[in-house]
Every structure is written in structure tokens, then in C-alpha cells.
Amino acid sequence: MLEELNVDDAFAADMLRGHTETIVLSVLSRGDSYGFEIFKTIRDATGGAYEIKEATLYASYRRLLKDGLVEAYWGDETQGGRRKYYRITDAGRAVYHANVRTWTVTRGIIDSLLDLGGRPS
């Protein structure tokens, strides 16, 4: 399996890898979550087509924490191991919304260029 995709498309994998933090912020914008739950949410949302390696995901958590975009706290589970939960901050919400706006504009430009005015290829 390619790092994040079930397809052999390095270009798509590179594009997705460049948006890992925004994807994590998107999950956390819906509510606090712990590491493996975030992994499962991303995998399940794509029907398994996009799966982030744990090392990549935890490196993203560290960057998001360092940049003040998320906060971490320990859960109080009564069974099993303790889990570290992540919560998006106001700064994280602002960055997430800015990144979504940027992506939307970029996607529109790329879609226009790829369509090339509806001319047949």
C-alpha cells in the first residue's frame, strides 16, 4: 500500500500528504478525539482509500500542538489504557477555515484549467 492511498499514484499521495494538518483540524472541528480515533475517522470517511501512517499522523499532532492549533489532554478512561485527546483551538479553527478557503480557490482554478473551456482533448 502506498503510504496514504490504495492506488499507485504518487502525485495524489503527495498532494494529500501536504494537507494532513488541515485534514486533522477538520476532524477535530467536529469534536475532541484521540489519535487512533482520528486515524479511523479519516480512513472510514474515504472508504479506506486514504490511510495515514501513524508516524505521519503523530508528527502532525506534534506540529499542531507546537503551533498552538490544538491542545492535548489525558482522558479518564476507566478501562484500558489512558488516551491522549486533542481539541482544536480558536487559532486552529481560523487556520482550518483559511486553508479550506485557499483549497476551494485552488480547486476552482485547477478545475478551470483542466476543463480548458470544454474543448475535447
Side-chain angles (χ1 to χ4, degrees):
M1 172 193 274
L2 198 63
E3 179 176 321
E4 283 94 3
L5 296 176
N6 288 328
V7 297
D8 187 22
D9 189 340
F11 180 71
D14 285 343
M15 285 190 67
L16 286 166
R17 202 173 5 261
H19 296 280
T20 301
E21 280 83 11
T22 302
I23 293 166
V24 170
L25 290 172
S26 174
V27 172
L28 293 175
S29 72
R30 299 176 194 123
D32 298 3
S33 191
Y34 59 93
F36 189 65
E37 186 176 49
I38 294 169
F39 167 85
K40 289 189 304 183
T41 299
I42 294 166
R43 182 195 62 203
D44 294 350
T46 63
Y50 180 62
E51 193 170 283
I52 303 175
K53 284 187 176 181
E54 279 188 62
T56 301
L57 201 53
Y58 283 95
S60 292
Y61 298 154
R62 284 191 300 276
R63 281 190 297 275
L64 290 166
L65 283 163
K66 181 176 80 57
D67 293 343
L69 304 180
V70 300
E71 299 170 337
Y73 62 93
W74 289 102
D76 57 357
E77 289 77 20
T78 56
Q79 295 181 348
R82 287 181 63 202
R83 294 179 177 145
K84 184 184 279 189
Y85 285 80
Y86 298 92
R87 167 188 310 123
I88 192 169
T89 64
D90 289 341
R93 284 185 203 290
V95 166
Y96 168 68
H97 290 298
N99 289 353
V100 168
R101 283 190 301 273
T102 300
W103 172 254
T104 302
V105 169
T106 303
R107 184 183 64 207
I109 292 169
I110 291 172
D111 287 349
S112 295
L113 292 171
L114 294 178
D115 182 41
L116 299 173
R119 291 184 225 133
S121 54

